[in-house]
mmCIF file of all heavy atoms in Angstrom:
data_model
loop_
_atom_site.group_PDB
_atom_site.id
_atom_site.type_symbol
_atom_site.label_atom_id
_atom_site.label_comp_id
_atom_site.label_asym_id
_atom_site.label_seq_id
_atom_site.Cartn_x
_atom_site.Cartn_y
_atom_site.Cartn_z
ATOM 1 N N GLU A 308 115.380 79.821 84.870
ATOM 2 C CA GLU A 308 115.457 78.675 83.998
ATOM 3 C C GLU A 308 114.364 77.563 84.453
ATOM 4 O O GLU A 308 113.721 76.942 83.596
ATOM 5 C CB GLU A 308 116.799 78.011 83.978
ATOM 6 C CG GLU A 308 116.994 76.876 83.001
ATOM 7 C CD GLU A 308 118.388 76.371 82.986
ATOM 8 O OE1 GLU A 308 119.347 77.041 83.516
ATOM 9 O OE2 GLU A 308 118.662 75.303 82.354
ATOM 10 N N VAL A 309 114.226 77.426 85.681
ATOM 11 C CA VAL A 309 113.253 76.519 86.256
ATOM 12 C C VAL A 309 111.783 76.968 85.884
ATOM 13 O O VAL A 309 111.028 76.155 85.343
ATOM 14 C CB VAL A 309 113.310 76.424 87.773
ATOM 15 C CG1 VAL A 309 112.179 75.599 88.326
ATOM 16 C CG2 VAL A 309 114.662 75.720 88.195
ATOM 17 N N LEU A 310 111.499 78.273 86.049
ATOM 18 C CA LEU A 310 110.179 78.762 85.811
ATOM 19 C C LEU A 310 109.836 78.740 84.401
ATOM 20 O O LEU A 310 108.689 78.667 83.970
ATOM 21 C CB LEU A 310 110.059 80.194 86.352
ATOM 22 C CG LEU A 310 110.081 80.380 87.880
ATOM 23 C CD1 LEU A 310 109.986 81.839 88.231
ATOM 24 C CD2 LEU A 310 109.051 79.497 88.630
ATOM 25 N N GLU A 311 110.861 78.896 83.438
ATOM 26 C CA GLU A 311 110.595 78.850 82.074
ATOM 27 C C GLU A 311 110.064 77.526 81.453
ATOM 28 O O GLU A 311 109.461 77.468 80.442
ATOM 29 C CB GLU A 311 111.892 79.192 81.264
ATOM 30 C CG GLU A 311 112.274 80.774 81.343
ATOM 31 C CD GLU A 311 113.669 81.007 80.688
ATOM 32 O OE1 GLU A 311 114.486 80.054 80.675
ATOM 33 O OE2 GLU A 311 113.932 82.174 80.369
ATOM 34 N N ASN A 312 110.201 76.595 82.308
ATOM 35 C CA ASN A 312 109.714 75.181 81.967
ATOM 36 C C ASN A 312 108.303 74.894 82.432
ATOM 37 O O ASN A 312 107.787 73.738 82.333
ATOM 38 C CB ASN A 312 110.671 74.169 82.426
ATOM 39 C CG ASN A 312 111.962 74.093 81.597
ATOM 40 O OD1 ASN A 312 112.031 73.559 80.564
ATOM 41 N ND2 ASN A 312 112.965 74.732 82.167
ATOM 42 N N LEU A 313 107.628 75.936 83.063
ATOM 43 C CA LEU A 313 106.306 75.749 83.597
ATOM 44 C C LEU A 313 105.295 76.349 82.573
ATOM 45 O O LEU A 313 105.407 77.488 82.192
ATOM 46 C CB LEU A 313 106.157 76.396 84.892
ATOM 47 C CG LEU A 313 107.050 75.869 86.036
ATOM 48 C CD1 LEU A 313 106.784 76.642 87.356
ATOM 49 C CD2 LEU A 313 106.773 74.341 86.299
ATOM 50 N N SER A 314 104.369 75.516 82.187
ATOM 51 C CA SER A 314 103.438 75.884 81.099
ATOM 52 C C SER A 314 102.511 76.982 81.509
ATOM 53 O O SER A 314 101.883 77.657 80.657
ATOM 54 C CB SER A 314 102.609 74.664 80.624
ATOM 55 O OG SER A 314 101.872 74.120 81.711
ATOM 56 N N MET A 315 102.314 77.176 82.807
ATOM 57 C CA MET A 315 101.282 78.193 83.209
ATOM 58 C C MET A 315 101.901 79.610 83.048
ATOM 59 O O MET A 315 101.081 80.586 83.091
ATOM 60 C CB MET A 315 101.007 78.029 84.765
ATOM 61 C CG MET A 315 100.487 76.691 85.102
ATOM 62 S SD MET A 315 101.828 75.435 85.388
ATOM 63 C CE MET A 315 102.353 75.905 87.047
ATOM 64 N N ILE A 316 103.142 79.806 82.834
ATOM 65 C CA ILE A 316 103.796 81.115 82.741
ATOM 66 C C ILE A 316 104.042 81.520 81.285
ATOM 67 O O ILE A 316 104.545 80.803 80.512
ATOM 68 C CB ILE A 316 105.096 81.088 83.539
ATOM 69 C CG1 ILE A 316 104.852 80.675 84.990
ATOM 70 C CG2 ILE A 316 105.768 82.445 83.454
ATOM 71 C CD1 ILE A 316 106.136 80.380 85.789
ATOM 72 N N LYS A 317 103.636 82.739 80.938
ATOM 73 C CA LYS A 317 103.762 83.305 79.652
ATOM 74 C C LYS A 317 105.097 84.156 79.561
ATOM 75 O O LYS A 317 105.860 84.033 78.655
ATOM 76 C CB LYS A 317 102.627 84.168 79.245
ATOM 77 C CG LYS A 317 102.697 84.787 77.828
ATOM 78 C CD LYS A 317 102.650 83.808 76.812
ATOM 79 C CE LYS A 317 102.695 84.470 75.432
ATOM 80 N NZ LYS A 317 102.656 83.546 74.305
ATOM 81 N N ASN A 318 105.250 85.029 80.533
ATOM 82 C CA ASN A 318 106.385 85.920 80.534
ATOM 83 C C ASN A 318 107.087 85.898 81.906
ATOM 84 O O ASN A 318 106.443 85.720 83.010
ATOM 85 C CB ASN A 318 106.032 87.345 80.252
ATOM 86 C CG ASN A 318 105.178 87.486 78.971
ATOM 87 O OD1 ASN A 318 105.774 87.106 77.933
ATOM 88 N ND2 ASN A 318 104.050 87.922 78.980
ATOM 89 N N ILE A 319 108.361 86.185 81.959
ATOM 90 C CA ILE A 319 109.124 86.270 83.197
ATOM 91 C C ILE A 319 109.923 87.617 83.193
ATOM 92 O O ILE A 319 110.707 87.836 82.218
ATOM 93 C CB ILE A 319 109.995 85.096 83.453
ATOM 94 C CG1 ILE A 319 109.289 83.850 83.519
ATOM 95 C CG2 ILE A 319 110.873 85.339 84.756
ATOM 96 C CD1 ILE A 319 110.225 82.587 83.694
ATOM 97 N N ILE A 320 109.704 88.491 84.117
ATOM 98 C CA ILE A 320 110.512 89.749 84.152
ATOM 99 C C ILE A 320 111.087 89.889 85.572
ATOM 100 O O ILE A 320 110.619 89.386 86.509
ATOM 101 C CB ILE A 320 109.550 90.981 83.745
ATOM 102 C CG1 ILE A 320 108.495 91.162 84.868
ATOM 103 C CG2 ILE A 320 109.008 90.877 82.386
ATOM 104 C CD1 ILE A 320 107.650 92.394 84.652
ATOM 105 N N PRO A 321 112.194 90.716 85.679
ATOM 106 C CA PRO A 321 112.760 90.826 86.995
ATOM 107 C C PRO A 321 111.856 91.796 87.830
ATOM 108 O O PRO A 321 111.380 92.765 87.339
ATOM 109 C CB PRO A 321 114.154 91.495 86.713
ATOM 110 C CG PRO A 321 114.004 92.059 85.315
ATOM 111 C CD PRO A 321 112.995 91.211 84.601
ATOM 112 N N GLN A 322 111.709 91.479 89.096
ATOM 113 C CA GLN A 322 111.173 92.410 90.073
ATOM 114 C C GLN A 322 112.338 92.870 90.960
ATOM 115 O O GLN A 322 112.792 92.036 91.812
ATOM 116 C CB GLN A 322 110.037 91.801 90.848
ATOM 117 C CG GLN A 322 109.485 92.768 91.871
ATOM 118 C CD GLN A 322 108.139 92.318 92.419
ATOM 119 O OE1 GLN A 322 107.221 91.849 91.701
ATOM 120 N NE2 GLN A 322 107.860 92.591 93.757
ATOM 121 N N ASP A 323 112.806 94.105 90.869
ATOM 122 C CA ASP A 323 113.933 94.535 91.534
ATOM 123 C C ASP A 323 113.743 95.152 92.962
ATOM 124 O O ASP A 323 114.732 95.732 93.499
ATOM 125 C CB ASP A 323 114.628 95.545 90.593
ATOM 126 C CG ASP A 323 116.144 95.697 90.946
ATOM 127 O OD1 ASP A 323 116.776 94.653 91.204
ATOM 128 O OD2 ASP A 323 116.657 96.846 90.792
ATOM 129 N N SER A 324 112.589 95.006 93.416
ATOM 130 C CA SER A 324 112.262 95.506 94.769
ATOM 131 C C SER A 324 111.189 94.635 95.372
ATOM 132 O O SER A 324 110.357 94.058 94.717
ATOM 133 C CB SER A 324 111.833 96.964 94.708
ATOM 134 O OG SER A 324 111.312 97.376 95.952
ATOM 135 N N ALA A 325 111.122 94.640 96.733
ATOM 136 C CA ALA A 325 110.013 93.908 97.391
ATOM 137 C C ALA A 325 108.714 94.585 97.156
ATOM 138 O O ALA A 325 107.636 94.031 97.212
ATOM 139 C CB ALA A 325 110.258 93.802 98.914
ATOM 140 N N SER A 326 108.818 95.857 96.769
ATOM 141 C CA SER A 326 107.613 96.656 96.332
ATOM 142 C C SER A 326 107.207 96.271 94.942
ATOM 143 O O SER A 326 108.105 96.072 94.057
ATOM 144 C CB SER A 326 107.862 98.148 96.415
ATOM 145 O OG SER A 326 106.898 98.897 95.687
ATOM 146 N N TYR A 327 105.996 96.092 94.690
ATOM 147 C CA TYR A 327 105.469 95.728 93.322
ATOM 148 C C TYR A 327 105.213 96.871 92.460
ATOM 149 O O TYR A 327 104.869 96.769 91.280
ATOM 150 C CB TYR A 327 104.134 94.936 93.446
ATOM 151 C CG TYR A 327 104.262 93.515 93.965
ATOM 152 C CD1 TYR A 327 104.867 93.209 95.200
ATOM 153 C CD2 TYR A 327 103.710 92.467 93.253
ATOM 154 C CE1 TYR A 327 104.939 91.937 95.650
ATOM 155 C CE2 TYR A 327 103.765 91.177 93.728
ATOM 156 C CZ TYR A 327 104.435 90.910 94.929
ATOM 157 O OH TYR A 327 104.479 89.640 95.328
ATOM 158 N N LYS A 328 105.397 98.075 92.972
ATOM 159 C CA LYS A 328 104.963 99.292 92.262
ATOM 160 C C LYS A 328 105.470 99.467 90.841
ATOM 161 O O LYS A 328 104.698 99.708 89.869
ATOM 162 C CB LYS A 328 105.452 100.567 93.052
ATOM 163 C CG LYS A 328 104.910 101.837 92.615
ATOM 164 C CD LYS A 328 105.314 103.025 93.473
ATOM 165 C CE LYS A 328 104.754 104.308 92.868
ATOM 166 N NZ LYS A 328 105.076 105.512 93.817
ATOM 167 N N ASP A 329 106.809 99.358 90.621
ATOM 168 C CA ASP A 329 107.294 99.664 89.299
ATOM 169 C C ASP A 329 106.739 98.722 88.232
ATOM 170 O O ASP A 329 106.348 99.156 87.139
ATOM 171 C CB ASP A 329 108.870 99.567 89.362
ATOM 172 C CG ASP A 329 109.524 100.688 90.085
ATOM 173 O OD1 ASP A 329 108.803 101.695 90.362
ATOM 174 O OD2 ASP A 329 110.679 100.553 90.464
ATOM 175 N N ASN A 330 106.718 97.363 88.608
ATOM 176 C CA ASN A 330 106.145 96.472 87.565
ATOM 177 C C ASN A 330 104.702 96.600 87.354
ATOM 178 O O ASN A 330 104.263 96.449 86.198
ATOM 179 C CB ASN A 330 106.553 95.016 88.054
ATOM 180 C CG ASN A 330 108.010 94.700 87.729
ATOM 181 O OD1 ASN A 330 108.735 95.493 87.128
ATOM 182 N ND2 ASN A 330 108.399 93.442 88.052
ATOM 183 N N LEU A 331 103.973 96.895 88.397
ATOM 184 C CA LEU A 331 102.521 97.088 88.249
ATOM 185 C C LEU A 331 102.174 98.280 87.415
ATOM 186 O O LEU A 331 101.237 98.229 86.572
ATOM 187 C CB LEU A 331 101.862 97.101 89.570
ATOM 188 C CG LEU A 331 101.882 95.808 90.449
ATOM 189 C CD1 LEU A 331 100.950 95.986 91.578
ATOM 190 C CD2 LEU A 331 101.518 94.606 89.737
ATOM 191 N N LEU A 332 102.907 99.358 87.698
ATOM 192 C CA LEU A 332 102.639 100.564 86.806
ATOM 193 C C LEU A 332 102.983 100.317 85.339
ATOM 194 O O LEU A 332 102.251 100.833 84.520
ATOM 195 C CB LEU A 332 103.424 101.720 87.341
ATOM 196 C CG LEU A 332 102.966 102.326 88.701
ATOM 197 C CD1 LEU A 332 103.898 103.393 89.195
ATOM 198 C CD2 LEU A 332 101.555 102.889 88.591
ATOM 199 N N LYS A 333 103.949 99.430 85.067
ATOM 200 C CA LYS A 333 104.400 99.220 83.761
ATOM 201 C C LYS A 333 103.427 98.270 83.020
ATOM 202 O O LYS A 333 103.013 98.479 81.874
ATOM 203 C CB LYS A 333 105.748 98.604 83.728
ATOM 204 C CG LYS A 333 106.320 98.304 82.355
ATOM 205 C CD LYS A 333 107.858 98.014 82.460
ATOM 206 C CE LYS A 333 108.123 96.830 83.306
ATOM 207 N NZ LYS A 333 109.591 96.542 83.403
ATOM 208 N N ILE A 334 102.853 97.278 83.784
ATOM 209 C CA ILE A 334 101.996 96.207 83.089
ATOM 210 C C ILE A 334 100.523 96.509 83.317
ATOM 211 O O ILE A 334 99.798 96.280 82.405
ATOM 212 C CB ILE A 334 102.342 94.904 83.766
ATOM 213 C CG1 ILE A 334 103.823 94.440 83.502
ATOM 214 C CG2 ILE A 334 101.448 93.750 83.290
ATOM 215 C CD1 ILE A 334 104.203 93.194 84.217
ATOM 216 N N GLN A 335 100.208 97.192 84.418
ATOM 217 C CA GLN A 335 98.832 97.377 84.706
ATOM 218 C C GLN A 335 97.947 96.143 84.598
ATOM 219 O O GLN A 335 97.037 96.132 83.786
ATOM 220 C CB GLN A 335 98.208 98.613 83.885
ATOM 221 C CG GLN A 335 98.908 99.890 84.179
ATOM 222 C CD GLN A 335 98.140 101.089 83.729
ATOM 223 O OE1 GLN A 335 97.065 100.966 83.205
ATOM 224 N NE2 GLN A 335 98.754 102.308 83.805
ATOM 225 N N PRO A 336 98.273 95.122 85.341
ATOM 226 C CA PRO A 336 97.512 93.788 85.117
ATOM 227 C C PRO A 336 96.098 93.930 85.655
ATOM 228 O O PRO A 336 95.721 94.721 86.481
ATOM 229 C CB PRO A 336 98.336 92.903 86.042
ATOM 230 C CG PRO A 336 98.898 93.753 87.158
ATOM 231 C CD PRO A 336 99.219 95.059 86.485
ATOM 232 N N ASP A 337 95.235 93.008 85.134
ATOM 233 C CA ASP A 337 93.873 92.962 85.610
ATOM 234 C C ASP A 337 93.835 92.293 86.924
ATOM 235 O O ASP A 337 92.940 92.542 87.733
ATOM 236 C CB ASP A 337 93.045 92.167 84.545
ATOM 237 C CG ASP A 337 93.096 92.841 83.220
ATOM 238 O OD1 ASP A 337 92.387 93.895 83.063
ATOM 239 O OD2 ASP A 337 93.770 92.338 82.298
ATOM 240 N N PHE A 338 94.723 91.363 87.169
ATOM 241 C CA PHE A 338 94.755 90.566 88.403
ATOM 242 C C PHE A 338 96.219 90.478 88.961
ATOM 243 O O PHE A 338 97.148 90.333 88.229
ATOM 244 C CB PHE A 338 94.249 89.170 88.180
ATOM 245 C CG PHE A 338 92.789 89.122 87.684
ATOM 246 C CD1 PHE A 338 92.518 88.995 86.292
ATOM 247 C CD2 PHE A 338 91.757 89.269 88.496
ATOM 248 C CE1 PHE A 338 91.270 88.908 85.752
ATOM 249 C CE2 PHE A 338 90.455 89.228 88.022
ATOM 250 C CZ PHE A 338 90.183 89.024 86.680
ATOM 251 N N VAL A 339 96.295 90.569 90.263
ATOM 252 C CA VAL A 339 97.486 90.147 90.947
ATOM 253 C C VAL A 339 97.172 88.977 91.862
ATOM 254 O O VAL A 339 96.270 88.957 92.645
ATOM 255 C CB VAL A 339 98.091 91.318 91.832
ATOM 256 C CG1 VAL A 339 99.209 90.794 92.700
ATOM 257 C CG2 VAL A 339 98.563 92.464 90.905
ATOM 258 N N ILE A 340 97.975 87.956 91.719
ATOM 259 C CA ILE A 340 97.709 86.726 92.561
ATOM 260 C C ILE A 340 98.860 86.591 93.580
ATOM 261 O O ILE A 340 99.972 86.718 93.243
ATOM 262 C CB ILE A 340 97.697 85.434 91.644
ATOM 263 C CG1 ILE A 340 96.844 85.671 90.444
ATOM 264 C CG2 ILE A 340 97.275 84.246 92.506
ATOM 265 C CD1 ILE A 340 95.373 85.861 90.714
ATOM 266 N N HIS A 341 98.459 86.325 94.797
ATOM 267 C CA HIS A 341 99.462 86.160 95.933
ATOM 268 C C HIS A 341 98.831 85.283 96.993
ATOM 269 O O HIS A 341 97.586 85.186 97.118
ATOM 270 C CB HIS A 341 99.772 87.567 96.497
ATOM 271 C CG HIS A 341 101.013 87.552 97.273
ATOM 272 N ND1 HIS A 341 101.142 87.005 98.548
ATOM 273 C CD2 HIS A 341 102.258 88.133 96.980
ATOM 274 C CE1 HIS A 341 102.350 87.293 98.951
ATOM 275 N NE2 HIS A 341 103.097 87.843 98.098
ATOM 276 N N GLY A 342 99.726 84.641 97.725
ATOM 277 C CA GLY A 342 99.292 83.902 98.868
ATOM 278 C C GLY A 342 98.721 84.838 100.002
ATOM 279 O O GLY A 342 99.106 86.050 100.037
ATOM 280 N N ASP A 343 97.864 84.339 100.820
ATOM 281 C CA ASP A 343 97.266 85.238 101.837
ATOM 282 C C ASP A 343 98.087 85.439 103.093
ATOM 283 O O ASP A 343 97.662 86.101 104.036
ATOM 284 C CB ASP A 343 95.862 84.687 102.261
ATOM 285 C CG ASP A 343 95.911 83.358 102.946
ATOM 286 O OD1 ASP A 343 97.067 82.799 103.126
ATOM 287 O OD2 ASP A 343 94.858 82.780 103.322
ATOM 288 N N ASP A 344 99.334 84.979 102.968
ATOM 289 C CA ASP A 344 100.242 85.134 104.176
ATOM 290 C C ASP A 344 100.666 86.520 104.358
ATOM 291 O O ASP A 344 101.200 86.804 105.439
ATOM 292 C CB ASP A 344 101.508 84.193 103.976
ATOM 293 C CG ASP A 344 102.157 84.465 102.665
ATOM 294 O OD1 ASP A 344 101.531 84.406 101.643
ATOM 295 O OD2 ASP A 344 103.419 84.649 102.693
ATOM 296 N N TRP A 345 100.533 87.405 103.313
ATOM 297 C CA TRP A 345 101.070 88.813 103.575
ATOM 298 C C TRP A 345 99.997 89.718 104.147
ATOM 299 O O TRP A 345 100.158 90.976 104.126
ATOM 300 C CB TRP A 345 101.597 89.315 102.209
ATOM 301 C CG TRP A 345 100.606 89.563 101.112
ATOM 302 C CD1 TRP A 345 99.376 89.104 100.983
ATOM 303 C CD2 TRP A 345 100.912 90.358 99.937
ATOM 304 N NE1 TRP A 345 98.832 89.466 99.839
ATOM 305 C CE2 TRP A 345 99.703 90.232 99.117
ATOM 306 C CE3 TRP A 345 101.954 91.076 99.487
ATOM 307 C CZ2 TRP A 345 99.637 90.859 97.894
ATOM 308 C CZ3 TRP A 345 101.812 91.670 98.242
ATOM 309 C CH2 TRP A 345 100.695 91.601 97.483
ATOM 310 N N GLN A 346 98.848 89.206 104.654
ATOM 311 C CA GLN A 346 97.837 90.026 105.201
ATOM 312 C C GLN A 346 98.316 90.554 106.618
ATOM 313 O O GLN A 346 97.686 91.498 107.119
ATOM 314 C CB GLN A 346 96.494 89.242 105.353
ATOM 315 C CG GLN A 346 95.841 88.809 103.986
ATOM 316 C CD GLN A 346 94.584 88.116 104.148
ATOM 317 O OE1 GLN A 346 94.092 87.866 105.258
ATOM 318 N NE2 GLN A 346 93.998 87.648 103.076
ATOM 319 N N PHE A 347 99.285 89.893 107.140
ATOM 320 C CA PHE A 347 99.808 90.355 108.420
ATOM 321 C C PHE A 347 101.309 90.358 108.362
ATOM 322 O O PHE A 347 101.900 89.768 107.511
ATOM 323 C CB PHE A 347 99.340 89.399 109.584
ATOM 324 C CG PHE A 347 97.877 89.058 109.516
ATOM 325 C CD1 PHE A 347 97.288 88.044 108.916
ATOM 326 C CD2 PHE A 347 97.049 89.944 110.197
ATOM 327 C CE1 PHE A 347 95.876 87.769 108.882
ATOM 328 C CE2 PHE A 347 95.644 89.775 110.216
ATOM 329 C CZ PHE A 347 95.089 88.704 109.576
ATOM 330 N N GLY A 348 101.942 91.019 109.331
ATOM 331 C CA GLY A 348 103.362 90.972 109.410
ATOM 332 C C GLY A 348 104.037 92.051 108.474
ATOM 333 O O GLY A 348 103.390 92.961 107.996
ATOM 334 N N TYR A 349 105.295 91.830 108.312
ATOM 335 C CA TYR A 349 106.159 92.809 107.632
ATOM 336 C C TYR A 349 105.806 93.065 106.151
ATOM 337 O O TYR A 349 105.913 94.156 105.680
ATOM 338 C CB TYR A 349 107.591 92.279 107.682
ATOM 339 C CG TYR A 349 108.618 93.184 107.002
ATOM 340 C CD1 TYR A 349 108.837 94.461 107.511
ATOM 341 C CD2 TYR A 349 109.434 92.768 105.885
ATOM 342 C CE1 TYR A 349 109.754 95.311 106.969
ATOM 343 C CE2 TYR A 349 110.337 93.684 105.344
ATOM 344 C CZ TYR A 349 110.503 94.932 105.920
ATOM 345 O OH TYR A 349 111.439 95.755 105.322
ATOM 346 N N GLN A 350 105.247 92.102 105.509
ATOM 347 C CA GLN A 350 104.825 92.271 104.098
ATOM 348 C C GLN A 350 103.535 92.970 103.871
ATOM 349 O O GLN A 350 103.084 93.269 102.802
ATOM 350 C CB GLN A 350 104.816 90.968 103.347
ATOM 351 C CG GLN A 350 106.197 90.308 103.189
ATOM 352 C CD GLN A 350 106.149 89.190 102.205
ATOM 353 O OE1 GLN A 350 105.837 89.375 101.003
ATOM 354 N NE2 GLN A 350 106.426 87.955 102.688
ATOM 355 N N LYS A 351 102.804 93.171 105.011
ATOM 356 C CA LYS A 351 101.500 93.864 104.873
ATOM 357 C C LYS A 351 101.558 95.140 104.117
ATOM 358 O O LYS A 351 100.566 95.499 103.383
ATOM 359 C CB LYS A 351 100.881 94.069 106.266
ATOM 360 C CG LYS A 351 99.461 94.592 106.335
ATOM 361 C CD LYS A 351 98.966 94.754 107.724
ATOM 362 C CE LYS A 351 97.522 95.267 107.690
ATOM 363 N NZ LYS A 351 97.046 95.461 109.120
ATOM 364 N N LYS A 352 102.636 95.905 104.328
ATOM 365 C CA LYS A 352 102.774 97.241 103.650
ATOM 366 C C LYS A 352 102.750 97.067 102.119
ATOM 367 O O LYS A 352 102.231 97.947 101.338
ATOM 368 C CB LYS A 352 103.996 97.945 104.124
ATOM 369 C CG LYS A 352 105.367 97.312 103.892
ATOM 370 C CD LYS A 352 106.454 98.114 104.502
ATOM 371 C CE LYS A 352 107.764 97.365 104.343
ATOM 372 N NZ LYS A 352 108.819 98.050 104.990
ATOM 373 N N TYR A 353 103.344 96.047 101.660
ATOM 374 C CA TYR A 353 103.445 95.779 100.210
ATOM 375 C C TYR A 353 102.074 95.389 99.622
ATOM 376 O O TYR A 353 101.671 95.809 98.519
ATOM 377 C CB TYR A 353 104.437 94.720 99.863
ATOM 378 C CG TYR A 353 105.788 95.015 100.338
ATOM 379 C CD1 TYR A 353 106.470 94.168 101.227
ATOM 380 C CD2 TYR A 353 106.490 96.112 99.850
ATOM 381 C CE1 TYR A 353 107.733 94.512 101.699
ATOM 382 C CE2 TYR A 353 107.815 96.430 100.299
ATOM 383 C CZ TYR A 353 108.363 95.595 101.277
ATOM 384 O OH TYR A 353 109.656 95.901 101.711
ATOM 385 N N ARG A 354 101.344 94.651 100.420
ATOM 386 C CA ARG A 354 99.919 94.364 100.051
ATOM 387 C C ARG A 354 99.055 95.597 99.948
ATOM 388 O O ARG A 354 98.313 95.780 98.996
ATOM 389 C CB ARG A 354 99.364 93.421 101.081
ATOM 390 C CG ARG A 354 97.879 92.974 100.842
ATOM 391 C CD ARG A 354 97.329 92.033 101.906
ATOM 392 N NE ARG A 354 96.001 91.551 101.602
ATOM 393 C CZ ARG A 354 94.875 92.176 101.969
ATOM 394 N NH1 ARG A 354 94.987 93.285 102.673
ATOM 395 N NH2 ARG A 354 93.713 91.637 101.675
ATOM 396 N N THR A 355 99.174 96.448 100.901
ATOM 397 C CA THR A 355 98.411 97.754 100.892
ATOM 398 C C THR A 355 98.732 98.585 99.638
ATOM 399 O O THR A 355 97.829 99.095 99.005
ATOM 400 C CB THR A 355 98.821 98.559 102.176
ATOM 401 O OG1 THR A 355 98.417 97.797 103.289
ATOM 402 C CG2 THR A 355 97.956 99.879 102.216
#
């Protein structure tokens, strides 16, 4: 509900895993935007 009030967002869908795989295969976006904090540490595998 909070995000629906932000003008920058067109669509909101559930991401049911820390992995982005299912949603990316479905949408096949031209760009994925993320903070650079996942270059190291536990989330690095999701970035790869």
Side-chain angles (χ1 to χ4, degrees):
E308 187 177 347
V309 172
L310 294 181
E311 284 173 338
N312 288 280
L313 298 180
S314 61
M315 302 87 78
I316 300 171
K317 179 67 175 179
N318 304 300
I319 301 174
I320 62 173
Q322 180 165 321
D323 203 36
S324 170
S326 165
Y327 285 56
K328 183 176 181 179
D329 289 345
N330 281 358
L331 293 193
L332 288 174
K333 181 166 59 179
I334 297 171
Q335 296 196 5
D337 300 285
F338 301 97
V339 171
I340 313 295
H341 198 286
D343 63 1
D344 55 309
W345 67 344
Q346 293 180 6
F347 308 96
Y349 182 61
Q350 292 193 62
K351 184 179 179 181
K352 60 185 178 183
Y353 301 120
R354 178 181 185 269
T355 300

